[in-house]
Amino acid sequence: MKYYSKTSMQDWWKSTFPKGREIIKITDASGYPVSIAYGEKGEGKPLFLIHGIGGWSYNWRYNIETLAKYFRVICFDAKGYGFSDKPLYREKNNHQIIEFKRIISALCDRPAIVVAESLGGLISLAVAQDYPELISDLIVVNVPIFADNLPHWGMSLLSQIPLELLQAADLGRITTLFAPLVKEILAIERRSVLFDPTKFTETDAYWMSYPYIQFPGTLTKAAEDIQIAVKEIQRNQNKQPNLISKIQKNLTVIKCPTLILWGQQDSWFPYKHGEKLSKLLPGSQLKILPNCNHDASSGSPDAVNAAVLQFLKKV
C-alpha cells in the first residue's frame, strides 16, 4: 500500500463542509485563470478564515464549527497552497492581495468579516487599505507587520534554494518518495509553534503534509512566497519601496472595526508587535491570548473563537 492512500482517511472537506470541497475560478494577478479550492458552512453574514504561509484551510479545523453557528464561514486555500492551483510561472510580489480581493468579490455580494492569521493577516490589512468596501470587520492574529527576519530555520533554508531546483525536485515527486520524512518535518515545525505540542495529532500531521506530498508544486510555491517575503524585508531595511512599509504607513486609512489578537508566547513575532500595531491602527482593539504560541487558530481555538464572537457581539 502507498504511504498516502486517498482512501486511508475520510475526506476532510466532505466531513467539514455540507457541500465538501468546491472550486471557484478567478483571474490571478498575472492575468491567468486559476482554480481556488474552498468550503463553506453556516448562514448569514460572510466570514472568511484566511490561513498563513505554508498552510491551508485545515489550519482552521477547530474554528469552523463554532463560528458557523453565527455566520456563513468561508475557508479557501490561497493559490499555491492546499488544494488550489499551483502555477509554474513566477509570482508578483503583491499577488495575494489582488487574488484575495477577487475571491471575496466572486463569493460575496456584500462586505465580509475577515479573520486572518500570520501572513494572511498582513495580506488582509493591505486589502482593507486598498479595497475598504470589501471588509466590514477585521480580525488579525499574530500578523508579521514588523518582521525584520524569517522566524524559522526551515524558511531560511527554503529562501536560499533556487526555485528552479526546487521546482525540478517538486515536479519529480521527491516529496512523495520521502513522504514519511516530509510528514515528520512538518509535524516538528507545526508543534514548535503550539503552546502545547501534544495537541498536534497524527491526523493533523497527515492532513497538513498532504498537499506537499500529493500535489506537485506546493513546496515550490511556499518557497517562492518565502523568497518574496525575504526581498520585501530587505527592501524595508534598506529604505527602498516595499509592501511592508506601505502597509505600515497606511494603517490610518483602515476604518473598519479591527481586533488584534496576539499569542503571549508567540515564538515567531513577540506580542509587543501587537501592542505597537494597536497604537498605529486607530480605534483598534488588542487582546493578548495567554498560553498561546504563534499558531493560535489550532493551538488556542477556544480563546480565538471566544474573542472573535465577543468582538462581533455574538456572545
Side-chain angles (χ1 to χ4, degrees):
M1 179 181 293
K2 291 177 64 175
Y3 179 74
Y4 274 81
S5 168
K6 293 185 178 180
T7 60
S8 62
M9 283 196 181
Q10 184 179 7
D11 187 309
W12 178 78
W13 293 94
K14 288 183 179 179
S15 63
T16 303
F17 302 103
K19 294 183 180 180
R21 176 167 54 92
E22 301 182 76
I23 297 293
I24 187 170
K25 295 275 189 178
I26 66 163
T27 300
D28 73 2
S30 297
Y32 297 104
V34 292
S35 295
I36 300 297
Y38 77 98
E40 61 176 85
K41 185 172 186 175
E43 299 178 350
K45 190 170 185 175
L47 183 152
F48 282 86
L49 296 174
I50 314 298
H51 65 78
I53 198 165
W56 58 287
S57 295
Y58 185 78
N59 285 73
W60 298 100
R61 58 196 177 278
Y62 299 125
N63 311 95
I64 296 166
E65 183 71 27
T66 297
L67 298 178
K69 295 175 183 177
Y70 305 92
F71 303 102
R72 175 194 169 202
V73 172
I74 305 169
C75 284
F76 70 86
D77 296 347
K79 186 185 74 178
Y81 296 95
F83 288 67
S84 291
D85 279 353
K86 298 151 185 68
L88 297 178
Y89 47 82
R90 302 281 77 92
E91 303 292 352
K92 300 177 183 294
N93 66 341
N94 64 341
H95 75 98
Q96 291 177 321
I97 300 170
I98 296 169
E99 289 152 9
F100 182 23
K101 180 263 181 185
R102 291 175 180 172
I103 292 168
I104 292 182
S105 299
L107 291 174
C108 300
D109 58 4
R110 56 171 167 163
I113 301 162
V114 170
V115 183
E117 189 166 42
S118 196
L119 181 62
L122 186 64
I123 300 302
S124 297
L125 287 171
V127 172
Q129 293 171 351
D130 296 344
Y131 310 102
E133 72 280 1
L134 294 182
I135 300 180
S136 64
D137 304 87
L138 178 61
I139 298 97
V140 294
V141 189
N142 298 335
V143 54
I145 188 168
F146 302 114
D148 55 9
N149 55 54
L150 293 175
H152 188 264
W153 67 267
M155 290 183 180
S156 297
L157 178 62
L158 288 176
S159 73
Q160 299 175 47
I161 301 176
L163 290 177
E164 293 75 16
L165 181 60
L166 274 176
Q167 195 163 60
D170 215 354
L171 296 178
R173 305 305 298 273
I174 295 297
T175 53
T176 302
L177 292 174
F178 295 96
L181 179 61
V182 172
K183 175 172 170 276
E184 185 59 27
I185 290 174
L186 281 170
I188 292 171
E189 186 272 327
R190 296 319 303 176
R191 290 189 178 106
S192 72
V193 289
L194 291 174
F195 182 79
D196 179 3
T198 64
K199 287 187 175 181
F200 193 85
T201 67
E202 282 299 310
T203 298
D204 294 335
Y206 174 91
W207 282 117
M208 287 303 297
S209 60
Y210 189 93
Y212 290 91
I213 292 168
Q214 291 294 337
F215 305 136
T218 305
L219 181 62
T220 303
K221 300 311 282 188
E224 184 174 8
D225 276 342
I226 289 170
Q227 294 186 15
I228 289 173
V230 169
K231 292 177 182 177
E232 291 298 303
I233 290 172
Q234 291 173 342
R235 288 175 184 142
N236 187 34
Q237 293 173 337
N238 294 330
K239 309 299 182 183
Q240 298 172 325
N242 65 91
L243 283 175
I244 298 173
S245 63
K246 178 184 176 183
I247 295 170
Q248 291 173 351
K249 293 174 182 177
N250 289 328
L251 287 171
T252 56
V253 309
I254 297 177
K255 302 303 181 184
C256 64
T258 303
L259 172 65
I260 302 164
L261 297 178
W262 219 284
Q264 191 170 27
Q265 288 77 26
D266 190 336
S267 57
W268 281 16
F269 311 111
Y271 71 88
K272 296 293 184 181
H273 287 189
E275 295 175 344
K276 182 178 179 180
L277 177 58
S278 69
K279 292 176 181 177
L280 296 174
L281 213 170
S284 63
Q285 298 180 31
L286 170 66
K287 186 175 181 61
I288 304 297
L289 304 177
N291 302 326
C292 179
N293 203 321
H294 183 70
D295 196 346
S297 60
S298 57
S300 303
D302 292 342
V304 170
N305 292 339
V308 169
L309 292 175
Q310 184 179 36
F311 177 69
L312 298 173
K313 298 177 173 58
K314 290 298 181 181
V315 293

